[in-house]
Amino acid sequence: MAKKDHSTLKSDFGIHLKKIRMNKGYSLLEVDYRCELNESNISKIENGKFDVQLSTIFELAKGLGVEPKELLDFKPSVKE
């Protein structure tokens, strides 16, 4: 069985988050305005440079106008 690398998982989550944001037509600044996170941190999350806490997932969901479960509904890639 292939194991999941933590940095790969962060990167996969960030790609998924960015896809949701772009599909909504929101800029980083708009999401920043709609939730309690700043634009820089949202960018770091999207680029897989930042660990996401549960409270952050709920803030992002609020800012994107989605349910938190949508942010976790992605298929992580696996590292061989």
Side-chain angles (χ1 to χ4, degrees):
M1 176 189 278
K3 84 175 190 182
K4 293 178 183 94
D5 181 320
H6 183 68
S7 63
T8 302
L9 190 58
K10 288 191 306 185
S11 178
D12 291 343
F13 177 79
I15 290 166
H16 178 67
L17 174 65
K18 185 173 185 175
K19 198 177 297 182
I20 291 173
R21 178 178 63 79
M22 299 296 284
N23 285 340
K24 292 275 189 176
Y26 294 153
S27 68
L28 288 170
L29 189 58
E30 287 173 303
V31 178
D32 172 349
Y33 180 75
R34 296 169 56 99
C35 67
E36 306 265 331
L37 301 170
N38 70 46
E39 182 180 0
S40 174
N41 286 342
I42 297 166
S43 177
K44 288 176 187 173
I45 294 167
E46 287 186 352
N47 290 303
K49 308 283 185 209
F50 200 79
D51 274 321
V52 180
Q53 297 180 348
L54 185 59
S55 59
T56 304
I57 291 172
F58 277 80
E59 280 301 319
L60 287 167
K62 180 176 83 173
L64 292 166
V66 299
E67 291 294 321
K69 66 182 178 181
E70 284 186 58
L71 296 180
L72 298 173
D73 189 16
F74 68 100
K75 188 170 195 126
S77 59
V78 288
K79 188 174 183 177
E80 299 291 332

